[in-house]
Amino acid sequence: MNTVQPIRDINLVNDIADYLRARSERDYVLFMFGIYCGLRISDILTLRVRDVKDKQYIYLYEQKTNKEKRFKLQEDIREILTEYIAGKEEYEYLFKSREGLNQPITRQRAYQILNNAAKAFGLSSIGAHSLRKTFGYFLYLQSEKDIVAVKEILGHSDISTTLRYIGIIQDTKDQVMNKLSFRRRR
């Protein structure tokens, strides 16, 4: 199994969002929801319109940990969701498949959507979990590097896990390696 990475460039995040929006509103909202909420794709795909409609907070039981999670819907994503769910029934899945009657898209389909967008921009090591990692990465940078808060929000047990998870350890290694030189100085 290949390890996926966060998308570390804000311009690339916006380009991918625009790319997806031009192709499918559902896929665009899936991408935006993932990078704004930091939930695992398995939890995102279980959500229905009623779970987000007129809500500031979402409550759910995480499938992986079976723990209750409460998280705030940030204002930007609330606006995106409000527009997206207009006219949808409350019982509908938020990210409904075109196949069958009111079924969510599969994890595999979510992966295909994100991987195809990534390929369009020449990215590799991008998958459905990249949404959660991108959320964590930018939360870390925009929270003035409050790794403790990011660790708690992601539900990790220790800081080193969070740093590795969001790619900060790899970034640091890359920066250190870039400084290595054996050239003679004159």
Side-chain angles (χ1 to χ4, degrees), residues 66-89:
N66 204 29
K67 292 181 183 174
E68 185 177 22
K69 181 169 182 122
R70 170 189 182 261
F71 66 94
K72 184 171 182 58
L73 285 174
Q74 193 270 355
E75 187 178 334
D76 293 346
I77 194 60
R78 281 198 328 259
E79 288 176 15
I80 291 168
L81 286 169
T82 298
E83 185 178 316
Y84 174 65
I85 65 174
K88 292 183 175 19
E89 298 295 333

mmCIF file of all heavy atoms in Angstrom, residues 66-89:
data_model
loop_
_atom_site.group_PDB
_atom_site.id
_atom_site.type_symbol
_atom_site.label_atom_id
_atom_site.label_comp_id
_atom_site.label_asym_id
_atom_site.label_seq_id
_atom_site.Cartn_x
_atom_site.Cartn_y
_atom_site.Cartn_z
ATOM 1 N N ASN A 66 -14.702 4.212 16.542
ATOM 2 C CA ASN A 66 -15.993 4.079 17.218
ATOM 3 C C ASN A 66 -16.157 5.095 18.354
ATOM 4 O O ASN A 66 -16.901 4.876 19.290
ATOM 5 C CB ASN A 66 -16.214 2.652 17.727
ATOM 6 C CG ASN A 66 -17.682 2.333 17.877
ATOM 7 O OD1 ASN A 66 -18.526 2.878 17.149
ATOM 8 N ND2 ASN A 66 -18.018 1.472 18.809
ATOM 9 N N LYS A 67 -15.440 6.194 18.256
ATOM 10 C CA LYS A 67 -15.557 7.272 19.235
ATOM 11 C C LYS A 67 -16.464 8.359 18.679
ATOM 12 O O LYS A 67 -16.481 8.606 17.478
ATOM 13 C CB LYS A 67 -14.185 7.892 19.532
ATOM 14 C CG LYS A 67 -13.238 6.975 20.257
ATOM 15 C CD LYS A 67 -11.928 7.690 20.515
ATOM 16 C CE LYS A 67 -10.930 6.765 21.186
ATOM 17 N NZ LYS A 67 -9.618 7.403 21.310
ATOM 18 N N GLU A 68 -17.182 9.016 19.602
ATOM 19 C CA GLU A 68 -18.009 10.132 19.180
ATOM 20 C C GLU A 68 -17.107 11.317 18.858
ATOM 21 O O GLU A 68 -16.153 11.590 19.576
ATOM 22 C CB GLU A 68 -19.006 10.529 20.265
ATOM 23 C CG GLU A 68 -19.955 11.610 19.799
ATOM 24 C CD GLU A 68 -21.015 11.974 20.820
ATOM 25 O OE1 GLU A 68 -20.807 11.719 22.015
ATOM 26 O OE2 GLU A 68 -22.050 12.517 20.408
ATOM 27 N N LYS A 69 -17.418 11.986 17.786
ATOM 28 C CA LYS A 69 -16.646 13.153 17.382
ATOM 29 C C LYS A 69 -17.597 14.309 17.140
ATOM 30 O O LYS A 69 -18.642 14.143 16.515
ATOM 31 C CB LYS A 69 -15.851 12.861 16.111
ATOM 32 C CG LYS A 69 -15.009 14.039 15.672
ATOM 33 C CD LYS A 69 -14.029 13.652 14.591
ATOM 34 C CE LYS A 69 -13.181 14.829 14.208
ATOM 35 N NZ LYS A 69 -11.793 14.597 14.362
ATOM 36 N N ARG A 70 -17.217 15.452 17.642
ATOM 37 C CA ARG A 70 -17.958 16.686 17.407
ATOM 38 C C ARG A 70 -16.983 17.626 16.716
ATOM 39 O O ARG A 70 -15.857 17.800 17.170
ATOM 40 C CB ARG A 70 -18.399 17.294 18.735
ATOM 41 C CG ARG A 70 -18.956 18.689 18.629
ATOM 42 C CD ARG A 70 -19.137 19.256 20.059
ATOM 43 N NE ARG A 70 -19.700 20.575 20.056
ATOM 44 C CZ ARG A 70 -18.990 21.699 20.193
ATOM 45 N NH1 ARG A 70 -17.698 21.668 20.346
ATOM 46 N NH2 ARG A 70 -19.595 22.863 20.191
ATOM 47 N N PHE A 71 -17.403 18.192 15.602
ATOM 48 C CA PHE A 71 -16.523 19.148 14.954
ATOM 49 C C PHE A 71 -17.330 20.281 14.362
ATOM 50 O O PHE A 71 -18.487 20.132 13.988
ATOM 51 C CB PHE A 71 -15.609 18.491 13.911
ATOM 52 C CG PHE A 71 -16.330 17.942 12.726
ATOM 53 C CD1 PHE A 71 -16.485 18.694 11.574
ATOM 54 C CD2 PHE A 71 -16.850 16.668 12.757
ATOM 55 C CE1 PHE A 71 -17.148 18.188 10.480
ATOM 56 C CE2 PHE A 71 -17.523 16.147 11.666
ATOM 57 C CZ PHE A 71 -17.668 16.915 10.527
ATOM 58 N N LYS A 72 -16.676 21.410 14.320
ATOM 59 C CA LYS A 72 -17.296 22.639 13.855
ATOM 60 C C LYS A 72 -17.212 22.710 12.334
ATOM 61 O O LYS A 72 -16.177 22.422 11.748
ATOM 62 C CB LYS A 72 -16.588 23.842 14.470
ATOM 63 C CG LYS A 72 -17.223 25.177 14.108
ATOM 64 C CD LYS A 72 -16.597 26.298 14.924
ATOM 65 C CE LYS A 72 -17.196 27.637 14.660
ATOM 66 N NZ LYS A 72 -18.608 27.775 14.882
ATOM 67 N N LEU A 73 -18.321 23.101 11.741
ATOM 68 C CA LEU A 73 -18.313 23.396 10.313
ATOM 69 C C LEU A 73 -17.895 24.856 10.159
ATOM 70 O O LEU A 73 -18.629 25.761 10.565
ATOM 71 C CB LEU A 73 -19.695 23.183 9.701
ATOM 72 C CG LEU A 73 -20.126 21.747 9.481
ATOM 73 C CD1 LEU A 73 -21.564 21.685 9.001
ATOM 74 C CD2 LEU A 73 -19.210 21.051 8.501
ATOM 75 N N GLN A 74 -16.749 25.063 9.612
ATOM 76 C CA GLN A 74 -16.215 26.400 9.400
ATOM 77 C C GLN A 74 -17.134 27.154 8.437
ATOM 78 O O GLN A 74 -17.813 26.557 7.603
ATOM 79 C CB GLN A 74 -14.786 26.250 8.863
ATOM 80 C CG GLN A 74 -13.947 27.471 8.858
ATOM 81 C CD GLN A 74 -14.068 28.242 7.565
ATOM 82 O OE1 GLN A 74 -14.713 27.844 6.614
ATOM 83 N NE2 GLN A 74 -13.437 29.392 7.546
ATOM 84 N N GLU A 75 -17.178 28.457 8.539
ATOM 85 C CA GLU A 75 -18.119 29.278 7.773
ATOM 86 C C GLU A 75 -18.026 29.059 6.263
ATOM 87 O O GLU A 75 -19.042 28.971 5.574
ATOM 88 C CB GLU A 75 -17.905 30.761 8.095
ATOM 89 C CG GLU A 75 -18.939 31.661 7.467
ATOM 90 C CD GLU A 75 -18.749 33.123 7.845
ATOM 91 O OE1 GLU A 75 -18.179 33.416 8.903
ATOM 92 O OE2 GLU A 75 -19.178 33.969 7.042
ATOM 93 N N ASP A 76 -16.807 28.977 5.720
ATOM 94 C CA ASP A 76 -16.650 28.779 4.271
ATOM 95 C C ASP A 76 -17.329 27.494 3.799
ATOM 96 O O ASP A 76 -18.022 27.487 2.773
ATOM 97 C CB ASP A 76 -15.168 28.739 3.880
ATOM 98 C CG ASP A 76 -14.460 30.065 4.063
ATOM 99 O OD1 ASP A 76 -15.139 31.097 4.247
ATOM 100 O OD2 ASP A 76 -13.215 30.067 4.037
ATOM 101 N N ILE A 77 -17.126 26.412 4.539
ATOM 102 C CA ILE A 77 -17.724 25.142 4.102
ATOM 103 C C ILE A 77 -19.226 25.140 4.337
ATOM 104 O O ILE A 77 -19.977 24.540 3.568
ATOM 105 C CB ILE A 77 -17.026 23.907 4.743
ATOM 106 C CG1 ILE A 77 -17.424 22.620 4.010
ATOM 107 C CG2 ILE A 77 -17.323 23.802 6.210
ATOM 108 C CD1 ILE A 77 -17.061 22.567 2.541
ATOM 109 N N ARG A 78 -19.711 25.841 5.345
ATOM 110 C CA ARG A 78 -21.158 25.957 5.548
ATOM 111 C C ARG A 78 -21.812 26.646 4.344
ATOM 112 O O ARG A 78 -22.878 26.232 3.883
ATOM 113 C CB ARG A 78 -21.482 26.722 6.842
ATOM 114 C CG ARG A 78 -21.342 25.869 8.078
ATOM 115 C CD ARG A 78 -22.048 26.404 9.310
ATOM 116 N NE ARG A 78 -22.133 27.830 9.447
ATOM 117 C CZ ARG A 78 -21.350 28.580 10.227
ATOM 118 N NH1 ARG A 78 -20.378 28.031 10.919
ATOM 119 N NH2 ARG A 78 -21.537 29.881 10.309
ATOM 120 N N GLU A 79 -21.160 27.693 3.818
ATOM 121 C CA GLU A 79 -21.695 28.379 2.636
ATOM 122 C C GLU A 79 -21.718 27.455 1.422
ATOM 123 O O GLU A 79 -22.696 27.414 0.675
ATOM 124 C CB GLU A 79 -20.859 29.625 2.324
ATOM 125 C CG GLU A 79 -21.056 30.755 3.303
ATOM 126 C CD GLU A 79 -20.144 31.952 3.016
ATOM 127 O OE1 GLU A 79 -19.557 32.027 1.909
ATOM 128 O OE2 GLU A 79 -20.007 32.794 3.918
ATOM 129 N N ILE A 80 -20.640 26.710 1.221
ATOM 130 C CA ILE A 80 -20.561 25.768 0.102
ATOM 131 C C ILE A 80 -21.658 24.711 0.239
ATOM 132 O O ILE A 80 -22.351 24.383 -0.724
ATOM 133 C CB ILE A 80 -19.160 25.128 0.034
ATOM 134 C CG1 ILE A 80 -18.119 26.171 -0.384
ATOM 135 C CG2 ILE A 80 -19.143 23.922 -0.910
ATOM 136 C CD1 ILE A 80 -16.673 25.735 -0.199
ATOM 137 N N LEU A 81 -21.832 24.177 1.457
ATOM 138 C CA LEU A 81 -22.837 23.142 1.692
ATOM 139 C C LEU A 81 -24.258 23.669 1.493
ATOM 140 O O LEU A 81 -25.107 22.979 0.922
ATOM 141 C CB LEU A 81 -22.690 22.563 3.096
ATOM 142 C CG LEU A 81 -21.506 21.625 3.305
ATOM 143 C CD1 LEU A 81 -21.310 21.339 4.791
ATOM 144 C CD2 LEU A 81 -21.676 20.337 2.520
ATOM 145 N N THR A 82 -24.515 24.873 1.977
ATOM 146 C CA THR A 82 -25.856 25.452 1.852
ATOM 147 C C THR A 82 -26.265 25.542 0.388
ATOM 148 O O THR A 82 -27.382 25.180 0.010
ATOM 149 C CB THR A 82 -25.916 26.845 2.520
ATOM 150 O OG1 THR A 82 -25.628 26.675 3.910
ATOM 151 C CG2 THR A 82 -27.265 27.491 2.353
ATOM 152 N N GLU A 83 -25.354 25.993 -0.439
ATOM 153 C CA GLU A 83 -25.631 26.089 -1.874
ATOM 154 C C GLU A 83 -25.808 24.697 -2.489
ATOM 155 O O GLU A 83 -26.713 24.462 -3.283
ATOM 156 C CB GLU A 83 -24.480 26.833 -2.550
ATOM 157 C CG GLU A 83 -24.688 27.114 -4.020
ATOM 158 C CD GLU A 83 -23.518 27.895 -4.614
ATOM 159 O OE1 GLU A 83 -23.045 28.858 -3.976
ATOM 160 O OE2 GLU A 83 -23.089 27.528 -5.720
ATOM 161 N N TYR A 84 -24.953 23.772 -2.089
ATOM 162 C CA TYR A 84 -24.958 22.419 -2.646
ATOM 163 C C TYR A 84 -26.222 21.635 -2.293
ATOM 164 O O TYR A 84 -26.760 20.911 -3.132
ATOM 165 C CB TYR A 84 -23.713 21.669 -2.153
ATOM 166 C CG TYR A 84 -23.631 20.224 -2.528
ATOM 167 C CD1 TYR A 84 -23.518 19.819 -3.850
ATOM 168 C CD2 TYR A 84 -23.649 19.231 -1.546
ATOM 169 C CE1 TYR A 84 -23.428 18.480 -4.193
ATOM 170 C CE2 TYR A 84 -23.557 17.890 -1.870
ATOM 171 C CZ TYR A 84 -23.441 17.523 -3.197
ATOM 172 O OH TYR A 84 -23.353 16.195 -3.523
ATOM 173 N N ILE A 85 -26.708 21.774 -1.064
ATOM 174 C CA ILE A 85 -27.846 20.949 -0.636
ATOM 175 C C ILE A 85 -29.206 21.578 -0.947
ATOM 176 O O ILE A 85 -30.241 20.940 -0.737
ATOM 177 C CB ILE A 85 -27.768 20.582 0.866
ATOM 178 C CG1 ILE A 85 -27.876 21.817 1.738
ATOM 179 C CG2 ILE A 85 -26.521 19.763 1.141
ATOM 180 C CD1 ILE A 85 -27.941 21.514 3.231
ATOM 181 N N ALA A 86 -29.209 22.796 -1.468
ATOM 182 C CA ALA A 86 -30.484 23.445 -1.822
ATOM 183 C C ALA A 86 -31.257 22.540 -2.777
ATOM 184 O O ALA A 86 -30.733 22.092 -3.794
ATOM 185 C CB ALA A 86 -30.220 24.803 -2.466
ATOM 186 N N GLY A 87 -32.493 22.239 -2.399
ATOM 187 C CA GLY A 87 -33.334 21.394 -3.237
ATOM 188 C C GLY A 87 -33.166 19.905 -3.019
ATOM 189 O O GLY A 87 -33.887 19.106 -3.606
ATOM 190 N N LYS A 88 -32.219 19.494 -2.184
ATOM 191 C CA LYS A 88 -32.029 18.070 -1.897
ATOM 192 C C LYS A 88 -32.897 17.672 -0.699
ATOM 193 O O LYS A 88 -33.166 18.480 0.184
ATOM 194 C CB LYS A 88 -30.561 17.767 -1.606
ATOM 195 C CG LYS A 88 -29.654 17.912 -2.822
ATOM 196 C CD LYS A 88 -28.226 17.531 -2.464
ATOM 197 C CE LYS A 88 -27.232 17.519 -3.582
ATOM 198 N NZ LYS A 88 -27.466 18.195 -4.793
ATOM 199 N N GLU A 89 -33.313 16.441 -0.668
ATOM 200 C CA GLU A 89 -34.103 15.916 0.439
ATOM 201 C C GLU A 89 -33.187 15.622 1.632
ATOM 202 O O GLU A 89 -32.033 15.237 1.449
ATOM 203 C CB GLU A 89 -34.831 14.632 0.024
ATOM 204 C CG GLU A 89 -35.815 14.824 -1.106
ATOM 205 C CD GLU A 89 -36.993 15.715 -0.742
ATOM 206 O OE1 GLU A 89 -37.357 15.791 0.445
ATOM 207 O OE2 GLU A 89 -37.561 16.342 -1.665
#
